[in-house]
Amino acid sequence: MIELLEKIEDLKIELDKLDLFKELDIAKEKINSNEKLISKIKEYNNTYDKNLRMNIYSYDEIKNYKRLENEVNLLIISINNQLKRLQDKGSCSHENS
């Protein structure tokens, strides 16, 4: 169990170094610096207008952020799959003891 926790901690350190997260932060900054876009997002949060939503999604800043967000989600799925495999291996070896 300690070995698994050490590996998870190592993984966290490695994840912090990934350019993906730096790019995501930059993408978020670009969204926040676009006052027109922010205004539309605030308006959408009050109205939930589908046309306004589509307009928001047409901005390059949002497209880029969503692309990066998808990459993060895929990374999370991959990590979860790896953790499951590690846990399954631990369970099998524990049962055989």
Side-chain angles (χ1 to χ4, degrees), residues 22-74:
K22 294 172 190 168
E23 290 176 34
L24 196 63
D25 287 340
I26 292 168
K28 186 175 179 182
E29 287 174 17
K30 287 182 179 181
I31 290 170
N32 288 330
S33 66
N34 185 330
E35 291 179 22
K36 188 175 181 181
L37 176 56
I38 292 297
S39 175
K40 288 182 180 191
I41 292 170
K42 287 178 182 178
E43 182 182 344
Y44 174 77
N45 286 334
N46 290 325
T47 64
Y48 299 105
D49 180 274
K50 289 181 184 180
N51 291 326
L52 182 56
R53 180 178 184 210
M54 295 311 294
N55 182 264
I56 291 168
Y57 277 94
S58 72
Y59 279 77
D60 288 338
E61 293 93 331
I62 296 294
K63 289 177 186 177
N64 186 47
Y65 184 85
K66 288 297 187 182
R67 179 187 61 79
L68 293 167
E69 185 178 60
N70 285 338
E71 288 184 37
V72 169
N73 288 332
L74 290 172

